[in-house]
C-alpha cells in the first residue's frame, strides 16, 4: 500500500494542471460580453464557481484504497463574475472566463446572483490583494479555495462548498495523509507560481485627484487705509467751535 501511495503521488505530480479526462460542460461557459460598469441589471449578475480536478480523475479512483475514504478530486477553483474568472496562485489572477491554465472546468456551480456593481467588486479585490499575495500562498492553509470562499461570501453572502475548502485537512487526517505531505509541498511550490498575478489593485482603485497644496495663513495685519479728512463745518471763521454749559 505504501508503494501504491507513492505511485499516486507521482501521478498527481505529473497530472496536475492538465485538462481533465472527463469534464462537465459549463452551462454558461465561454466569453461573455462585458457589461458597462453603470449598466447593473436589476436581476443581478450570475456568480459561477469553476471547479477543476488537478488529479485528472486519479484521486476519485484510488482514494478509497489509499485514504480509506472517497475523495472526488484534488480541487482548484476560480470565481466567474462579470465575464471574468478570478483565482489565486501567484497573487490574484484575472482571465477571460474558462480560459485559465487549468483547462476546462470539471464542474460549474452557480452560487446565485450578486447585485454589487463591478466597480465595488474591483475595490474588494484590491483589498483582498493585500492578504492574498504570492508569498502568502499555502496549499493547506491559504490556497485558491480560501480565496474563492472569501470572495464569494462577499458577492453572494455564502461561501463555496465545504468539501472543497476542507479537502486538505481531510486528506491529512486520513491514515496515510502524513505520507502525502512531501507531495503536497511540491504541489504547493508549483501552484503558488501559477499565473502572473496580473490583477492590478492600482488600476482597480484609481488614486483620487490631487488636492491643492496647503498654504498657511498669513498672520500679518491687513494694510490700513489712510485716514479720511475731517468734515468741514459751515459758517464764518473756520475756527474751532467750543460749547459751554451755562
Amino acid at each position: 500500500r505504501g508503494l501504491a501511495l507513492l505511485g499516486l503521488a507521482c501521478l498527481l505530480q505529473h497530472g496536475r494542471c492538465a485538462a481533465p479526462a472527463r469534464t462537465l460542460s459549463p452551462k454558461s461557459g465561454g466569453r461573455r460580453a462585458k457589461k458597462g460598469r453603470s449598466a447593473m441589471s436589476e436581476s443581478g449578475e450570475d456568480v459561477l464557481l469553476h471547479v477543476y480536478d488537478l488529479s485528472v480523475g486519479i484521486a476519485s479512483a484510488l482514494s478509497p484504497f489509499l485514504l480509506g475514504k472517497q475523495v472526488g478530486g484534488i480541487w482548484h477553483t476560480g470565481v466567474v463574475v462579470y465575464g471574468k474568472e478570478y483565482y489565486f496562485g501567484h497573487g490574484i489572477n484575472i482571465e477571460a472566463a474558462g480560459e485559465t491554465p487549468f483547462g476546462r472546468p470539471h464542474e460549474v456551480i452557480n452560487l446565485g446572483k450578486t447585485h454589487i456593481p463591478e466597480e465595488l467588486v474591483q475595490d474588494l479585490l484590491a483589498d483582498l490583494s493585500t492578504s492574498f499575495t504570492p508569498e502568502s500562498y499555502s496549499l493547506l492553509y491559504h490556497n485558491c479555495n480560501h480565496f474563492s470562499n472569501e470572495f464569494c461570501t462577499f458577492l453572494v453572502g455564502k461561501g463555496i462548498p465545504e468539501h472543497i475548502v476542507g479537502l486538505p485537512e481531510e486528506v491529512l487526517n486520513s491514515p496515510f495523509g502524513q505520507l502525502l505531505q512531501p507531495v503536497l509541498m511540491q504541489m504547493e511550490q508549483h501552484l503558488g507560481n501559477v499565473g502572473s498575478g496580473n490583477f492590478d489593485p492600482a488600476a482597480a482603485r484609481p488614486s483620487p485627484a490631487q488636492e491643492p497644496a496647503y498654504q498657511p495663513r498669513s498672520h500679518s495685519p491687513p494694510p490700513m487705509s489712510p485716514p479720511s479728512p475731517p468734515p468741514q463745518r459751515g459758517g464764518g471763521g473756520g475756527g474751532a467751535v467750543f460749547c459751554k454749559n451755562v
Side-chain angles (χ1 to χ4, degrees):
R1 181 175 288 191
L3 292 176
L5 183 61
L6 293 178
L8 171 61
C10 293
L11 289 173
L12 290 177
Q13 180 69 11
H14 292 290
R16 65 179 184 270
C17 295
R22 295 181 181 181
T23 60
L24 301 179
S25 300
K27 297 180 180 179
S28 57
R31 191 188 299 259
R32 303 174 63 184
K34 181 179 179 181
K35 295 184 178 181
R37 289 190 171 186
S38 60
M40 181 62 186
S41 172
E42 292 182 0
S43 60
E45 182 77 10
D46 283 331
V47 177
L48 305 178
L49 184 70
H50 280 194
V51 183
Y52 303 85
D53 179 13
L54 302 182
S55 74
V56 201
I58 298 174
S60 178
L62 298 184
S63 58
F65 307 101
L66 302 178
L67 302 179
K69 59 176 67 179
Q70 180 71 49
V71 173
I74 305 299
W75 307 123
H76 164 81
T77 57
V79 179
V80 177
V81 64
Y82 291 107
K84 304 182 187 69
E85 184 165 350
Y86 300 90
Y87 65 93
F88 177 49
H90 189 74
I92 296 178
N93 297 273
I94 174 174
E95 307 282 355
E99 298 183 14
T100 70
F102 302 95
R104 294 182 63 188
H106 171 79
E107 185 181 6
V108 175
I109 302 174
N110 192 323
L111 294 175
K113 294 182 180 292
T114 184
H115 296 272
I116 299 174
E118 186 176 2
E119 58 267 23
L120 293 185
V121 172
Q122 298 300 310
D123 284 343
L124 169 75
L125 288 166
D127 289 338
L128 290 176
S129 67
T130 62
S131 57
F132 287 92
T133 63
E135 298 77 18
S136 70
Y137 186 92
S138 168
L139 184 63
L140 300 180
Y141 307 110
H142 202 245
N143 60 37
C144 57
N145 300 322
H146 295 102
F147 166 78
S148 297
N149 189 63
E150 192 165 340
F151 190 22
C152 289
T153 299
F154 172 82
L155 292 175
V156 296
K158 63 181 179 181
I160 68 176
E162 178 60 31
H163 74 273
I164 296 178
V165 180
L167 178 62
E169 184 177 357
E170 182 180 358
V171 171
L172 287 178
N173 290 337
S174 66
F176 291 93
Q178 297 301 320
L179 295 178
L180 279 175
Q181 277 196 333
V183 179
L184 294 176
M185 293 303 101
Q186 291 181 10
M187 292 184 67
E188 175 178 307
Q189 187 175 18
H190 172 79
L191 295 174
N193 289 318
V194 173
S196 59
N198 60 349
F199 174 77
D200 185 2
R205 180 183 292 166
S207 58
Q210 290 186 348
E211 297 182 357
Y214 170 74
Q215 296 182 355
R217 294 182 179 180
S218 175
H219 295 284
S220 58
M224 298 182 63
S225 58
S228 57
Q232 295 182 356
R233 298 177 178 272
V241 178
F242 295 94
C243 295
K244 182 177 180 182
N245 292 330
V246 180

